[in-house]
């Protein structure tokens, strides 16, 4: 099957009944639920881009198994050119969502492409697991499926020093093995895009401090979101059901986050990619290099997000007439710096990419991982800069309805600036508020701080991969040390 259209994606969601809970009620149809449908439409629009005649060649490539055109984020890159083509594709999607849908389908596609390229890694556990991961990648590529994922065990307590809490009856664990597969039970966070995905992938990058070699908590698998026993519990929706004027981002890009409960869920054997082996589960991201490939997708999102926030800031200062003030330029300069740093790191990761031991072209680890670490502090700062630039204008934001109400003449007269009508000003600042202040915007800040694990874990990861010897040696030589 070639790359899907948006309608085919929506039909796929409808075809699969799933257990999703939102606001105390079971969602009957995720494609029509007011809290979910607009986010779903945004994802559908991404799929439609694959069929835009002007974009088709940049969004898709020829399937190695069918010869049909399939989504480019499924490619296993073998050359730098393929890596760059993949980035162009991911940038198209990221820019279409203003960088506000971090979990667009390419996020998981690049991970599974990396894993299929490194299938021999999974075969180290059991030969059939290597075949399982290869086949699954082909399956999601040929059906153009959307995946969510949940990596983190819900923590019952954070008092356990130095060990991630794997409390029985809370963390996801294998309960038993049967002829048909393994049965899992427990809770995981945080499946972003869960209700509007076709499948959920479950693995774990951080059983690192679990000391046993074999563990019922160590597992990597993927199953349909409608699998019996699987339950998605949504937070409240930040799509408040208002117009795109009132909530320009929330009314479009709600990707939803869920806790996932696994109530004795059967995972068929062909969907198991690793089982029991703590070392292999822990090492998956680094050894297969899927960590760098997903960081490459994140870098594209960061570039799009930086560009968008910078564009909003520039329009804000133009509208308010304060663009020429030195402290405004200082703040805008900082936003420009983040934007250029993101682009530079992404480019460096491609320029210094190398074929890895699996024969996959891997983005250079340091620059590409830096984009993730930097954004945990850069993005909150970017939002702070918007707040500093906008001040009370964030509060001078009547709703669309007010423009048709009795105070419309006053609004039109007093809210206009030298460069913008009242409507233009309010529309812009409602957008800025959706970045810098609304529930939708606050969740974006939280997302950038934590989506790729907590900042402490990220910093420790960078410490692990950084080649420290060279700089230590340089300083040692300067100090005249002999060894
Ligand atoms: C909006 C959003 C979307 C997300 N989407 C997904 C998703 O799609 N899929 C997915 O798998 N995950 C997702 N995540 C989850 C994310 O992976 C986790 O939030 C992240 O790994 C941090 O785990 P935690 O939330 O349990 O925080 P914690 O581990 O509790 O960390 C909270 C804070 O406590 C500190 N801390 C924790 N333990 C210690 C300790 N022992 N000593 C000192 N300090 C400590 C941390 O440094 C951090 O600052 C998402 C998160 C957010 C916020």
């Amino acid at each position: 099957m070639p790359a899907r259209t948006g309608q085919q994606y929506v039909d796929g969601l409808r075809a699969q009944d799933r257990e999703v809970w939102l606001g105390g009620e079971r969602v009957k149809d995720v494609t029509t639920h007011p809290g979910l449908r607009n986010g779903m439409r945004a994802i559908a629009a991404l799929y439609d881009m694959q069929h835009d005649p002007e974009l088709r060649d940049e969004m898709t490539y020829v399937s190695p198994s069918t010869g049909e055109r399939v989504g480019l984020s499924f490619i296993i890159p073998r050359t730098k050119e393929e890596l760059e083509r993949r980035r162009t594709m991911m940038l198209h999607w990221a820019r279409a969502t203003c960088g506000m849908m971090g979990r667009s389908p390419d996020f998981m596609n690049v991970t599974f492409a990396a894993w299929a390229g490194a299938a021999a890694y999974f075969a180290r556990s059991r030969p059939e697991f290597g075949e399982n991961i290869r086949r699954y990648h082909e399956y999601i590529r040929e059906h153009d499926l959307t995946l969510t994922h949940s990596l983190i065990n819900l923590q019952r307590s954070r008092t356990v020093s130095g060990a991630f809490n794997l409390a029985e009856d809370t963390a996801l664990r294998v309960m038993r093995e049967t002829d048909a597969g393994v049965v899992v039970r427990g809770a995981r966070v945080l499946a972003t895009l869960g209700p509007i995905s076709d499948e959920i992938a479950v693995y774990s990058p951080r059983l690192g401090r679990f000391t046993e070699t074999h563990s019922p908590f160590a597992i990597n698998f993927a199953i349909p979101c409608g699998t019996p026993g699987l339950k998605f519990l949504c937070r409240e929706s930040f799509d408040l059901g208002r117009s795109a004027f009132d909530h320009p981002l929330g009314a479009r890009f709600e990707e939803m986050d869920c806790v996932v409960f696994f109530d004795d869920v059967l995972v068929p054997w062909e969907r198991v990619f690793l089982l029991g082996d703590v070392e292999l589960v822990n090492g998956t991201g680094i050894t297969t290099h899927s960590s760098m490939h997903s960081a490459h997708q994140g870098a594209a999102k960061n570039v799009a997000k930086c560009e968008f926030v910078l564009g909003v800031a520039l329009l804000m200062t133009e509208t308010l007439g304060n663009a020429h003030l030195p402290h405004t330029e200082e703040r805008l300069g900082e936003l420009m710096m983040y934007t250029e740093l993101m682009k530079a790191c992404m480019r460096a990761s491609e320029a210094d990419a190398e074929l890895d031991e699996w024969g996959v072209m891997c983005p250079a680890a340091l620059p590409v991982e830096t984009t993730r670490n930097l954004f945990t502090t850069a993005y909150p700062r970017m939002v702070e800069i918007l707040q500093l630039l906008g001040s009370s204008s964030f509060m001078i934001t009547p709703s669309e309805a007010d423009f048709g109400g009795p105070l419309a003449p006053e609004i039109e007269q007093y809210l206009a600036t030298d460069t913008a009508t009242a409507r233009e000003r309010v529309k812009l600042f409602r957008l800025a508020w959706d970045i810098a202040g609304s529930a939708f915007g606050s969740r974006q800040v939280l997302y950038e701080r934590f989506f790729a694990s907590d900042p402490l874990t990220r910093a420790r990861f960078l410490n692990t991969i950084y080649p420290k010897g060279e700089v230590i040696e340089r300083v040692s030589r300067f100090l005249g040390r002999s060894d």
Side-chain angles (χ1 to χ4, degrees):
M1 175 179 172
R4 285 194 297 182
T5 61
Q7 190 56 50
Q8 286 171 319
Y9 156 68
V10 175
D11 292 344
L13 291 180
R14 273 203 197 112
Q16 194 188 162
D17 193 26
R18 78 254 337 265
E19 189 168 343
V20 175
W21 291 85
L22 202 168
E25 288 177 359
R26 182 163 176 182
V27 176
K28 286 196 184 75
D29 180 356
V30 293
T31 67
T32 54
H33 190 281
L36 300 169
R37 67 184 170 210
N38 288 327
M40 178 210 68
R41 284 175 188 151
I43 299 289
L46 299 184
Y47 281 112
D48 278 338
M49 287 169 72
Q50 302 185 125
H51 295 272
D52 178 336
E54 286 193 4
L55 290 176
R56 195 186 79 128
D57 289 348
E58 292 190 354
M59 302 303 297
T60 58
Y61 75 116
V62 176
S63 161
S65 38
T66 64
E68 305 220 61
R69 296 202 75 89
V70 291
L72 195 47
S73 56
F74 289 108
I75 198 170
I76 302 176
R78 305 285 181 190
T79 63
K80 285 190 184 181
E81 196 219 340
E82 287 180 343
L83 208 55
E84 288 163 13
R85 279 182 68 199
R86 182 174 79 176
R87 179 249 301 154
T88 300
M89 177 265 145
M90 296 191 301
L91 259 178
H92 279 311
W93 270 6
R95 284 179 174 144
T97 55
C98 315
M100 299 290 165
M101 292 190 100
R103 294 302 201 232
S104 49
D106 46 336
F107 184 87
M108 289 308 299
N109 296 351
V110 301
T111 295
F112 275 94
W115 288 353
Y121 178 83
F122 297 83
R124 279 181 198 165
S125 179
R126 293 191 204 174
E128 64 268 29
F129 289 166
E131 204 39 44
N132 286 357
I133 199 78
R134 240 191 308 266
R135 276 213 212 99
Y136 186 67
H137 169 249
E138 189 177 6
Y139 172 73
I140 58 175
R141 180 187 70 209
E142 297 307 323
H143 292 82
D144 205 2
L145 296 184
T146 307
L147 268 74
T148 180
H149 70 305
S150 63
L151 308 190
I152 308 297
N153 284 305
L154 200 58
Q155 301 180 73
R156 191 180 180 87
S157 156
R158 283 170 174 78
T159 57
V160 186
S161 162
F164 292 109
N165 192 327
L166 294 172
E168 282 188 33
D169 301 330
T170 302
L172 183 83
R173 62 175 291 160
V174 175
M175 302 305 290
R176 58 183 181 278
E177 298 184 17
T178 72
D179 289 346
V182 295
V183 175
V184 295
R185 186 189 299 168
R188 282 275 177 124
V189 290
L190 189 61
T192 301
L193 211 70
I196 50 173
S197 294
D198 301 300
E199 300 247 332
I200 178 168
V202 173
Y203 48 103
S204 182
R206 67 179 218 188
L207 289 168
R209 294 165 215 177
F210 194 74
T211 51
E212 292 175 28
T213 52
H214 185 89
S215 165
F217 299 103
I219 188 163
N220 181 331
F221 66 85
I223 47 175
C225 290
T227 303
L230 199 55
K231 300 163 191 184
F232 293 89
L233 177 64
C234 302
R235 59 162 166 74
E236 69 178 357
S237 178
F238 300 144
D239 179 350
L240 304 178
R242 305 275 291 280
S243 70
F245 179 98
D246 284 349
H247 285 129
L249 300 177
R252 289 181 170 99
F253 303 131
E254 166 58 279
E255 58 183 355
M256 188 47 77
D257 310 291
C258 301
V259 181
V260 193
F261 302 124
F262 297 78
D263 189 3
D264 284 354
V265 171
L266 175 69
V267 181
W269 280 116
E270 66 271 20
R271 294 304 196 86
V272 179
F273 310 128
L274 284 175
L275 180 66
D277 192 322
V278 174
E279 210 178 304
L280 285 178
V281 170
N282 281 340
T284 311
I286 293 194
T287 313
T288 67
H289 301 137
S290 61
S291 175
M292 291 86 197
H293 288 280
S294 79
H296 192 225
Q297 188 272 353
K301 178 263 297 168
N302 291 358
V303 168
K305 209 161 188 167
C306 283
E307 290 171 342
F308 195 73
V309 172
L310 175 59
V312 168
L314 288 168
L315 268 179
M316 280 166 59
T317 56
E318 195 182 292
T319 301
L320 295 179
N322 61 5
H324 62 287
L325 299 177
H327 67 268
T328 302
E329 288 186 319
E330 187 184 13
R331 287 163 182 163
L332 291 173
E334 199 176 331
L335 293 179
M336 290 164 186
M337 189 175 69
Y338 294 136
T339 309
E340 291 309 301
L341 272 174
M342 284 302 152
K343 287 190 203 161
C345 281
M346 191 165 69
R347 204 161 149 191
S349 77
E350 292 164 6
D352 294 345
E354 285 180 358
L355 276 181
D356 63 17
E357 67 264 44
W358 318 107
V360 178
M361 185 55 69
C362 179
L366 288 174
V368 87
E369 293 289 353
T370 293
T371 62
R372 290 214 268 220
N373 285 38
L374 181 63
F375 227 44
T376 62
T377 51
Y379 190 70
R381 172 66 182 150
M382 286 160 61
V383 166
E384 183 184 23
I385 288 173
L386 284 191
Q387 291 177 355
L388 293 171
L389 291 173
S391 185
S392 63
S393 283
F394 284 111
M395 301 292 103
I396 307 171
T397 43
S399 68
E400 190 170 28
D402 287 307
F403 279 88
L407 290 188
E410 283 87 345
I411 291 172
E412 300 286 2
Q413 181 186 346
Y414 293 114
L415 269 54
T417 71
D418 285 350
T419 57
T421 64
R423 199 177 175 87
E424 286 166 346
R425 173 202 184 145
V426 172
K427 193 173 184 189
L428 171 66
F429 274 88
R430 293 199 74 102
L431 169 62
W433 182 242
D434 241 1
I435 301 172
S438 70
F440 180 90
S442 303
R443 183 255 172 204
Q444 291 288 328
V445 172
L446 197 71
Y447 181 85
E448 297 302 350
R449 286 190 202 275
F450 285 109
F451 85 90
S453 190
D454 75 275
L456 180 67
T457 308
R458 289 236 52 83
R460 298 184 77 181
F461 178 67
L462 204 54
N463 269 267
T464 310
I465 63 170
Y466 203 90
K468 305 184 190 78
E470 200 181 311
V471 287
I472 290 177
E473 196 187 310
R474 192 162 298 142
V475 177
S476 296
R477 271 206 308 274
F478 179 79
L479 291 170
R481 289 192 185 170
S482 51
D483 54 341

